[in-house]
Amino acid sequence: MNADMGLGVRDGDTSKMTDKSGPFASWGMFSRGQDTRLTVAFGDSSAVRSLPVYSLISLVAMIVFWFVATYTWGFPDQFKEPGLSDKLRIAACNSNDVCKGSFSQLLGPLTFPSIRDTWNTFFLLIDEGFQDITLWAHTKASLWRVIRGMFFGTLFGVPIGFAMGLSSKARGFFDTIVESFRPVPPLALLPLFILIFGIGDTTAVRLLIFASIWIMIIASRSGVQEANLSKVRAAYSLGASKPQVLFRVLLPNALPQLFTGFRLALGVSWGTLVAAELVGTRDGLGSMIFAARPFFRLDVVVVGIIVIALLGVMMDIILRFLESKLIPWRGKG
Amino acid sequence: MKDLSVKNVEMVYQVPKGEPVHALHDVSFDLTAGRLLTLLGPSGCGKTTLLNILAGFLAPTAGEVTLGGDIITGPGQERGMVFQQGALFEWLSVEKNIAFGPKMNRHSKTETKDKVEELLDVVGLAGFGDRQVYELSGGMQQRVALARCLANDPDVILMDEPLGALDALTREKMQGLILKLWKETGKSIILVTHSVEEALYLGDRLFVMAPRPGRIECDYELPFAENGLEVEPRELKAAPEFGEKREEILSIIWEMEEEIMGRGEAI
């Protein structure tokens, strides 16, 4: 009865269903399936899901909007030489008295690059790169920084969080530190970090550690705190020692919260990355964007933004997949 | 098998604001090995506190508890505990939950494996070893909890309302299982329950406890558990002697409840 993925008919009476819902039924156009007998559906949020057709519509709408906004209307034929970028063609046309002003555009090439330019730049960046560093090298540098930041953020954050969950002294001690630093946006500390650590790769990684550590501390603290007392007592009754209770009960028991924290921290780190790469790094997607800006290479900027967005989405998908494999009991206790 | 002895146990909780709570007052009893003692009483009578002291999770304010002559100072594997619910380890399979105790004590793997197989059979879960505990129903989860507790071969099994979260039918089946385990293993069992019927059916000894301060009000020797497996449970529970005892105990508990209400302290 659910048309969730909507790409096939599951229930028995197919002919009847097609009659009722029309040809779009198989596209998941209607959120409620063939045999729904609800009298009032509005307000029943449990029946609301993300219909793929509408996601597709919004994606197409964004691309269409981009195309329309950057399209050059009424552009003279003689300037449509192949192989030139839109920016150069428009510049050539504007320097010609006859042609000047004969075309119009919603967003000029100095405001937003066209789809065609962005597409071409994407492949140019893969092959030749911007300022001799390929897109892949930039991506690799960024990913490696985030991985190091997350690794150390987790490595230091989890034990501190556990200590806070297990000892009142540790809780009191770290509470002040965590609560004072947690609300500070990592970006606000950038000037200090540059003064203290200088500029370069390690400073960027340290900023990412700062971005992730507080989240990991709080996630692991709540993971320990929320452990069911019966579970811990059962373990002691079964002859477990304190280290065994820690590593075989509290740690696996906190995994769901740790995972949530990790996903959150990764999102924040990825968001802080561009700022972190301001700190005098030559490579990295953030530094690519900043290097392209003074030259008005908006095509490079947009490619950088799209790659950052896609990688962010991909990381979240991978983590969700890992979560379903590693913590299958989540939400089923 | 070891005898359990409780001598003049007092338990006073210090409350940050207000008067200290006298959870247990002068509780003393001896339980010879192999008996099934049920604890019954209105809420606040200290049943669970007593169980936690026996398990070693709480130290009494005064008095001492000994098992086979040794003073209990903390949790130990000679006293197994079965909780109402939520005490299984979801990240481990049924088998590994049951093998948790032996593994913590570094017993040999092959020996443990045989034992787990045997216990799965005993609690009626043969073939469920590699299932995940969160896939099981509430009754089956309590079977796993029983098997996990038995895997350590404890002298005393402490049960804190083990069947409290189960539906009526499953509950009756599980009562049969507890009786069967008790008879087959000969272990001492102390079981806290809210159900008078359950306390009468399972216990061969029964304490009715009273609140404020928590104490043992009556100590019954019961005949029903002795042949609880031979006679049909429904028939046993419908017998006139069973009914009489039930009414007697219910009236005691009702009196206590009314006294509490009269004092205006009930919540």
Side-chain angles (χ1 to χ4, degrees):
Chain A
M1 76 188 258
N2 299 329
D4 48 0
M5 287 310 284
L7 294 175
V9 180
R10 266 179 240 129
D11 292 3
D13 200 353
T14 46
S15 58
K16 204 166 146 200
M17 192 215 97
T18 330
D19 285 350
K20 260 191 199 166
S21 317
F24 293 110
S26 60
W27 270 87
M29 190 67 94
F30 302 98
S31 62
R32 286 171 199 286
Q34 49 277 32
D35 59 346
T36 298
R37 299 187 66 112
L38 289 174
T39 53
V40 181
F42 183 77
D44 176 8
S45 58
S46 67
V48 176
R49 70 201 107 249
S50 181
L51 277 183
V53 163
Y54 287 84
S55 305
L56 204 65
I57 289 174
S58 62
L59 184 66
V60 171
M62 280 197 292
I63 293 170
V64 167
F65 180 77
W66 186 4
F67 178 80
V68 170
T70 56
Y71 189 75
T72 356
W73 307 96
F75 201 75
D77 281 344
Q78 68 263 38
F79 291 98
K80 284 186 179 164
E81 292 167 49
L84 268 181
S85 82
D86 290 348
K87 207 159 88 183
L88 291 176
R89 290 190 302 140
I90 290 162
C93 180
N94 271 336
S95 64
N96 182 312
D97 285 341
V98 182
C99 158
K100 197 173 179 181
S102 66
F103 63 94
S104 65
Q105 235 178 344
L106 279 174
L107 292 174
L110 294 182
T111 319
F112 209 83
S114 69
I115 292 184
R116 200 183 70 147
D117 277 2
T118 310
W119 181 260
N120 291 336
T121 304
F122 176 68
F123 289 103
L124 195 77
L125 284 177
I126 289 177
D127 292 336
E128 294 170 27
F130 182 68
Q131 295 181 339
D132 294 332
I133 302 170
T134 60
L135 185 61
W136 169 236
H138 281 304
T139 308
K140 209 165 64 178
S142 289
L143 282 175
W144 181 229
R145 280 185 196 118
V146 169
I147 289 170
R148 278 181 292 169
M150 287 298 299
F151 176 78
F152 288 110
T154 310
L155 191 72
F156 299 126
V158 173
I160 293 175
F162 266 70
M164 287 178 79
L166 292 169
S167 140
S168 304
K169 285 176 194 160
R171 176 74 151 275
F173 182 79
F174 287 111
D175 244 351
T176 328
I177 300 173
V178 172
E179 294 308 323
S180 351
F181 281 105
R182 190 176 59 100
V184 179
L187 243 172
L189 285 187
L190 193 58
L192 267 184
F193 269 58
I194 296 175
L195 282 176
I196 298 169
F197 301 117
I199 54 174
D201 187 58
T202 43
T203 307
V205 173
R206 282 179 180 138
L207 196 70
L208 292 182
I209 297 175
F210 182 86
S212 60
I213 191 166
W214 314 114
I215 302 174
M216 291 313 293
I217 289 176
I218 287 168
S220 37
R221 187 190 69 189
S222 71
V224 179
Q225 272 183 294
E226 283 162 29
N228 191 333
L229 181 61
S230 312
K231 256 178 230 174
V232 176
R233 287 187 163 174
Y236 278 123
S237 273
L238 291 165
S241 61
K242 282 178 192 167
Q244 282 170 331
V245 167
L246 175 61
F247 288 108
R248 294 182 182 275
V249 180
L250 292 173
L251 190 62
N253 194 58
L255 270 182
Q257 282 95 334
L258 287 180
F259 229 91
T260 304
F262 194 84
R263 259 176 68 189
L264 215 68
L266 191 63
V268 172
S269 295
W270 198 238
T272 313
L273 180 75
V274 176
E277 287 175 343
L278 267 171
V279 196
T281 55
R282 277 207 69 235
D283 50 2
L285 292 166
S287 73
M288 184 182 87
I289 290 174
F290 279 104
R293 192 187 53 96
F295 298 102
F296 283 98
R297 288 297 302 275
L298 295 178
D299 45 346
V300 175
V301 172
V302 169
V303 169
I305 291 171
I306 291 176
V307 170
I308 287 175
L310 286 180
L311 284 174
V313 171
M314 262 166 57
M315 284 191 287
D316 207 53
I317 290 174
I318 292 171
L319 277 183
R320 275 189 213 200
F321 173 77
L322 279 179
E323 190 177 308
S324 68
K325 289 289 154 204
L326 291 173
I327 323 169
W329 70 88
R330 173 164 221 167
K332 293 171 190 165
Chain B
M1 291 297 149
K2 295 167 183 168
D3 297 342
L4 186 76
S5 170
V6 176
K7 281 195 202 94
N8 311 105
V9 162
E10 299 275 341
M11 189 71 198
V12 180
Y13 290 115
Q14 295 298 336
V15 186
K17 284 175 191 171
E19 284 175 44
V21 175
H22 215 140
L24 288 175
H25 175 61
D26 197 22
V27 171
S28 299
F29 65 91
D30 286 295
L31 193 73
T32 45
R35 306 231 28 201
L36 204 168
L37 169 68
T38 48
L39 301 180
L40 198 60
S43 34
C45 70
K47 306 181 295 267
T48 300
T49 301
L50 179 57
L51 210 64
N52 281 334
I53 289 173
L54 297 179
F57 299 137
L58 295 174
T61 316
E64 64 174 31
V65 182
T66 55
L67 180 65
D70 301 321
I71 296 176
I72 290 169
T73 54
Q77 47 184 304
E78 72 281 359
R79 285 158 287 126
M81 184 102 179
V82 176
F83 296 86
Q84 182 171 2
Q85 64 182 136
L88 292 178
F89 307 131
E90 296 100 336
W91 51 93
L92 299 177
S93 65
V94 168
E95 265 171 345
K96 286 183 176 157
N97 261 284
I98 299 175
F100 187 86
K103 191 173 178 187
M104 293 305 104
N105 297 306
R106 303 204 161 74
H107 288 185
S108 92
K109 273 186 185 164
T110 46
E111 214 175 286
T112 306
K113 200 166 180 280
D114 293 342
K115 187 151 204 173
V116 169
E117 284 301 317
E118 186 196 320
L119 283 171
L120 279 171
D121 210 38
V122 169
V123 298
L125 284 178
F128 282 90
D130 49 6
R131 293 283 284 274
Q132 298 301 312
V133 288
Y134 54 82
E135 299 172 338
L136 305 180
S137 66
M140 285 160 103
Q141 289 186 353
Q142 286 307 74
R143 285 170 196 262
V144 178
L146 280 172
R148 183 177 71 175
C149 179
L150 286 169
N152 262 359
D153 203 19
D155 297 307
V156 184
I157 303 178
L158 306 165
M159 302 187 180
D160 191 2
E161 295 181 46
L163 312 181
L166 304 180
D167 65 89
L169 281 173
T170 314
R171 193 169 181 151
E172 284 203 3
K173 272 189 217 160
M174 292 295 287
Q175 288 172 353
L177 177 67
I178 289 176
L179 268 188
K180 190 187 98 172
L181 289 178
W182 174 56
K183 292 201 170 158
E184 282 176 5
T185 59
K187 293 185 188 305
S188 307
I189 296 180
I190 299 178
L191 184 141
V192 168
T193 177
H194 269 123
S195 154
V196 176
E197 201 166 82
E198 187 168 284
L200 285 172
Y201 178 57
L202 292 180
D204 81 332
R205 192 171 174 195
L206 164 69
F207 289 169
V208 179
M209 294 181 70
R212 292 162 219 270
R215 62 198 184 273
I216 297 169
E217 185 83 359
C218 320
D219 179 353
Y220 288 97
E221 296 283 334
L222 296 172
F224 310 110
E226 196 53 49
N227 42 16
L229 283 181
E230 286 84 65
V231 186
E232 187 62 27
R234 327 227 95 263
E235 205 177 299
L236 189 82
K237 287 175 187 174
E241 313 90 73
F242 194 91
E244 266 167 40
K245 266 282 182 297
R246 187 178 56 209
E247 292 314 310
E248 184 184 333
I249 289 166
L250 271 174
S251 68
I252 296 173
I253 294 177
W254 270 113
E255 240 167 68
M256 287 179 196
E257 296 269 9
E258 260 168 33
E259 199 182 321
I260 298 168
M261 297 288 273
R263 277 196 268 164
E265 288 173 20
I267 302 155

